[in-house]
Amino acid sequence: MTIFLAVVLGVFLVVLYRLFIVPRRVGEHFVASEYGLPPREQLDSRRPGPPPPAHRTEQRQAVANAAWGGDWQSAERYVRAAGEDWDERWNRLELLQQVAREDDAWLDAWRAAEPRNCDAATLHASIMVHRAWEIRGSGYAHEVMTSDMNRFRAMLPAAIEEARQAALLDPANPGPWVVMVTAARGAQYRHAQFKPLWEGLIARAPHHYEGHWQALQYWCAKWFGSDRRMMRFARQAVRKAPPGSALAGIYLHALNELTERSATGTLAVTPMARSVLKQIAASLDGVAPDDERLPVLRHLLAHYMLRSMMYASALEQFRLIGPWCGAQPWREDGNPVMAFERARGTAAKLSRTRPAPQPPVCKMGR
């Protein structure tokens, strides 16, 4: 038994050394360009990835300006144009939600003109949920004032009822069900109450990204699940993610939730965990390059591959990420450029990738 414990302790110390000591040393003499990576001076910490195409930004601004000017028809056409691409339709509703936070008179006019429009009713219900969450805040339950918590919980039943009524207006539309799934944990729905909401959502949109993210929150330990339930749900998302979908990235958010609440912040490095990360990488390779969720997911994937000592795989993700380093994994210490550079250096040096020879510098003679 003593020999066994000594072996276990030895392995544990090796892992700690490779996770915490080696990365600090390998970054000291790291030349990014030798590994096909942008040099440090090109790193940009303002964003996690490139800005959206100009035409997309212009379209969004035009919709917002039209709404603030009282033209709700432009907002209605903008949502309707997404068709049955339910992820895109939800993304457009989220944009309109931000527009309504500035001025929602146009939404009132839309609902008055088209009282049976499911998108308008869904948008209104979603805004009700978000206003409740703004009162509660993002802290843990014991950090929230009792009066704010009471107001929060009193507002959610009305929002859920609004979403239920919206669902009757267009039975095929999953939007109202996303709202109900989002509100369920704040409304303290038990598992038996949550189950029909979730089943109603996936019956209409089996791979809905935002719906899965909200359900992941319900199943995490700080709400109505556990670490085991949350990770099982996240692995299911990876398995059922269809080609072209970012759904597999839900697993990375589960890992984030797990490590944020962990006393040590460490993860189990197992063959199964590494296998799942490889599956996620393969799945994300099929996602459209202009999908705005993709950069954030690649940052998380590189981060967790690095922590799982998958150095060559992490290096490939850093190549795909490029110069953008304004993402959550690198912001924790307050200097995202330094953290990103250290992470890239660790991946490059420990991946055993041979650096590319640099072209000789020719000096002009006198």
Side-chain angles (χ1 to χ4, degrees):
M1 180 62 73
T2 303
I3 295 175
F4 174 76
L5 290 176
V7 171
V8 172
L9 179 60
V11 171
F12 180 69
L13 290 175
V14 168
V15 171
L16 286 181
Y17 177 78
R18 296 193 71 182
L19 283 176
F20 299 105
I21 305 300
V22 173
R24 294 186 180 183
R25 294 182 177 179
V26 298
E28 294 174 0
H29 306 290
F30 167 60
V31 180
S33 58
E34 293 180 350
Y35 297 91
L37 300 168
R40 179 170 180 164
E41 56 268 22
Q42 292 182 10
L43 298 185
D44 191 332
S45 63
R46 294 172 298 175
R47 305 177 54 87
H55 69 87
R56 190 179 298 172
T57 302
E58 291 167 3
Q59 181 189 38
R60 291 169 178 172
Q61 190 61 56
V63 169
N65 291 340
W68 291 328
D71 177 14
W72 59 264
Q73 291 93 338
S74 292
E76 188 275 334
R77 287 193 299 270
Y78 177 65
V79 177
R80 180 161 42 86
E84 293 186 1
D85 182 343
W86 299 119
D87 275 337
E88 177 60 23
R89 199 166 182 125
W90 182 262
N91 289 341
R92 295 184 179 205
L93 280 178
E94 286 192 320
L95 171 68
L96 294 181
Q97 184 172 277
Q98 296 173 24
V99 173
R101 291 180 67 176
E102 299 288 330
D103 177 4
D104 62 358
W106 60 272
L107 177 56
D108 292 338
W110 182 9
R111 294 179 64 223
E114 297 189 342
R116 298 194 60 78
N117 186 293
C118 178
D119 291 318
T122 300
L123 180 57
H124 182 248
S126 182
I127 289 172
M128 292 172 70
V129 173
H130 279 264
R131 284 174 177 164
W133 277 99
E134 286 174 355
I135 292 170
R136 184 198 182 280
S138 59
Y140 287 97
H142 68 274
E143 300 171 340
V144 182
M145 293 177 57
T146 302
S147 58
D148 288 343
M149 184 65 81
N150 290 340
R151 289 177 63 200
F152 166 68
R153 289 175 177 164
M155 293 172 70
L156 289 175
I160 292 173
E161 180 57 29
E162 184 82 6
R164 289 189 190 279
Q165 294 302 314
L168 298 176
L169 300 177
D170 183 0
N173 192 327
W177 298 87
V178 177
V179 176
M180 288 185 272
V181 166
T182 301
R185 64 184 186 275
Q188 298 184 299
Y189 271 30
R190 299 183 302 277
H191 295 174
Q193 294 172 289
F194 180 78
K195 184 180 178 181
L197 302 183
W198 176 245
E199 290 177 344
L201 170 57
I202 60 173
R204 292 160 175 81
H207 311 116
H208 200 287
Y209 188 91
E210 179 65 18
H212 277 77
W213 192 91
Q214 295 295 343
L216 182 79
Q217 294 299 307
Y218 179 89
W219 288 119
C220 74
K222 68 186 179 188
W223 286 100
F224 295 97
S226 64
D227 291 345
R228 177 178 291 184
R229 280 180 178 269
M230 177 183 71
M231 296 310 298
R232 183 173 63 199
F233 178 84
R235 285 192 295 271
Q236 289 172 351
V238 176
R239 286 196 295 269
K240 68 182 183 181
S245 169
L247 185 62
I250 291 294
Y251 183 87
L252 302 171
H253 291 295
L255 289 182
N256 222 32
E257 178 68 31
L258 205 59
T259 53
E260 281 184 359
R261 293 185 297 98
S262 170
T264 61
T266 58
L267 292 171
V269 181
T270 65
M272 185 180 78
R274 289 173 170 170
S275 175
V276 174
L277 292 176
K278 289 179 181 177
Q279 291 176 54
I280 294 170
S283 185
L284 294 185
D285 284 344
V287 176
D290 64 347
D291 189 314
E292 293 177 42
R293 294 167 297 194
L294 190 57
V296 170
L297 295 177
R298 287 208 184 280
H299 283 286
L300 289 173
L301 182 56
H303 174 64
Y304 286 112
M305 282 179 160
L306 202 59
R307 297 184 68 165
S308 298
M309 294 184 283
M310 300 169 63
Y311 301 116
S313 298
L315 178 59
E316 179 57 27
Q317 292 303 313
F318 282 119
R319 287 182 178 135
L320 293 168
I321 289 168
W324 313 98
C325 59
Q328 183 267 336
W330 327 117
R331 291 186 175 279
E332 293 180 358
D333 296 331
N335 190 333
V337 171
M338 183 178 295
F340 186 70
E341 184 74 349
R342 185 184 300 123
R344 295 194 309 167
T346 301
K349 293 300 180 90
L350 297 186
S351 68
R352 299 183 180 178
T353 301
R354 296 185 65 180
Q358 296 297 297
V361 179
C362 298
K363 295 183 178 180
M364 297 293 292
R366 293 186 178 181

